[in-house]
Amino acid sequence: MMLGSGSVETLARQRKAMDTKAPLTESLMLDTLMNYLVTMARTVESAMNRALDAIVSLDDPRTAALPGEVFLLEPRINEMEIVIDEQAIRLLRQGALPEEELRLIVAGLKLNNDLERIGDLAVNLAERVVSLREMPGAAAPEELSPMVSAVRGMVSQSLGALISRNVEMAGKVLESDDVVDKYRDRIFERQLRSMTGEPESVSSGLQFVLATRHLERIADHATNIAEDIIFWVRGLDVRHGRGMGGLPESRITNNSQTLHSDVTAWGHTDHVIFT
Amino acid sequence: MMLGSGSVETLARQRKAMDTKAPLTESLMLDTLMNYLVTMARTVESAMNRALDAIVSLDDPRTAALPGEVFLLEPRINEMEIVIDEQAIRLLRQGALPEEELRLIVAGLKLNNDLERIGDLAVNLAERVVSLREMPGAAAPEELSPMVSAVRGMVSQSLGALISRNVEMAGKVLESDDVVDKYRDRIFERQLRSMTGEPESVSSGLQFVLATRHLERIADHATNIAEDIIFWVRGLDVRHGRGMGGLPESRITNNSQTLHSDVTAWGHTDHVIFT
């Protein structure tokens, strides 16, 4: 259904492809990969948002059906993951791809994995909701709602960056990770205190602590997605604290190939790391 | 250091490569990728085993240094991940790779990610150990030790399968996942009871519950690694419950290309999943 609305754009790209040296089929296959990734991203975001809505409205009868909807989406997301991987491998089989297309495919394989795991974590969160709904009077820690908002924002921003190839937006996601970790720690401290003081809160407290770990991991995957987008568009590997800073903008956009080897210094690190 | 001991074998492979049609450089680059993956796997296993040894010997002064060693290994593992990705991308840039080599590279990208995450989880476990060592008298649940053994066995088997390209060994890893989940649930129930009954056990109980989640996730990554090995060697995608059964052995080994499309039925599923 979602892909149908993009058919005009696809047609325009088809025409453009005919004017260039790239074979028509390859261009169409890349379009397909990108369309699949966007559809996967939207499905995962929709599953995750259902889980997030459910965990912040435990007493609301109107959200009681949300966990079940999350469970129903999971097998579909799993199938999508496999289809996207296969599409990426099909493209790689063609061989001799331009550098940026190769990076899109490699980033796509990684993104795909992170998206699927966000889907899994939505299921984990929905399981927490099911348990918590069976514990009437379970009081959510007050930082849960802002933590959920922060995670929702990170995922929304990382998927927006994917759809619009927006490196600046991806960069903003990387800055938000610390906020989520702080909420996690504060909720942990609060739950520890209440569980120690009120034995009747142990069951729900454990569920909330686990829920914050799921949220934290969703934020981690949003960060991974943002890093993959930066790698795809700019050829920059910004994982594990290799920041985007310290490099003039002009160098970043003008020659990603050279830049890549500058930043990561492969020729040197390979030897150092693996001996 | 580790790679040095493999130099005789590498030389033999170099000679063999000269006798075949494959260009020498490509063959060497594939060897390098495989060597890097094996070194990464050994480093990750060594970090993980330190964390596992530490969590089952919380009162033993001889294991007090283990968490620190795990923390020290993490940046090295992170660097390895980046170098391996780059090596895989270098190989893909060559283009027109034989099907099995292409699958090795794609599987390598995935394996690499799973290995790095096991390294992260070893760090998480080591953090639990540091907290628990500050709580004298914290009693580990009795199922923790067998759960740790099960996880250790799964990782050891999945890495053994990687090093020896052994699909049967990889298949055994897939069967062990349920055992780990059962231990996780039993420990959860036990900790819930003791935390509710004894407020002084809440702090340590929370740490043990979190530790079992880390262990469970290590087992998940071992499962992913096993699935990637099966994909690499046989071209079979066995993720998300797509089992290895129901297919005669001869078909599996004789024509992985055809088989792959048989099992996953891409032509049909693509359309169904993404519309």
Side-chain angles (χ1 to χ4, degrees), chain A residues 234-239 241-248 251-252 255-269, chain B residues 79 82:
Chain A
R234 295 211 168 149
L236 258 180
D237 197 327
V238 293
R239 288 178 297 178
R242 292 167 184 255
M244 294 168 74
L247 291 153
R251 291 188 61 206
I252 292 181
N255 192 340
S256 65
Q257 247 315 74
T258 312
L259 179 78
H260 193 34
S261 74
D262 277 6
V263 172
T264 53
W266 299 115
H268 302 287
T269 48
Chain B
E79 287 293 320
I82 291 178

Side-chain angles (χ1 to χ4, degrees), chain A residues 76 79 81-82 85-86 93 99 110 116-117 217 221 224 239-240 242 260 266 274-275, chain B residues 1 79 81-82 85-86 93 99 110 116-117 217 221 224 239-240 242 260 266 273:
Chain A
R76 191 178 155 87
E79 287 293 319
E81 185 197 17
I82 291 178
D85 270 2
E86 183 60 16
R93 249 183 226 130
E99 178 66 18
K110 288 170 182 289
E116 191 268 338
R117 292 192 191 206
R217 286 175 55 206
H221 289 295
N224 292 348
R239 288 178 297 178
H240 304 307
R242 292 167 184 255
H260 193 34
W266 299 115
F274 281 100
T275 47
Chain B
M1 297 290 279
E79 287 293 320
E81 185 197 16
I82 291 178
D85 270 2
E86 183 60 15
R93 250 183 225 130
E99 178 67 18
K110 288 170 182 289
E116 192 268 339
R117 292 193 190 205
R217 285 174 57 206
H221 288 295
N224 292 348
R239 288 178 297 178
H240 304 308
R242 292 167 184 255
H260 193 34
W266 299 115
I273 302 296

Side-chain angles (χ1 to χ4, degrees), chain A residues 66-82:
Chain A
L66 292 178
E69 292 170 22
V70 176
F71 300 144
L72 280 175
L73 281 168
E74 195 208 10
R76 191 178 155 87
I77 291 169
N78 290 345
E79 287 293 319
M80 284 180 175
E81 185 197 17
I82 291 178

Side-chain angles (χ1 to χ4, degrees), chain A residues 204-222:
Chain A
S204 61
L206 267 172
Q207 297 297 327
F208 284 121
V209 167
L210 291 176
T212 60
R213 302 288 155 157
H214 303 326
L215 290 170
E216 172 201 5
R217 286 175 55 206
I218 292 176
D220 287 344
H221 289 295

Side-chain angles (χ1 to χ4, degrees), chain A residues 270, chain B residues 29-30 32-33 36 83-91:
Chain A
D270 283 28
Chain B
M29 281 170 75
L30 261 179
T32 303
L33 178 67
Y36 282 2
V83 172
I84 288 174
D85 270 2
E86 183 60 15
Q87 180 70 8
I89 293 168
R90 249 187 230 140
L91 274 159

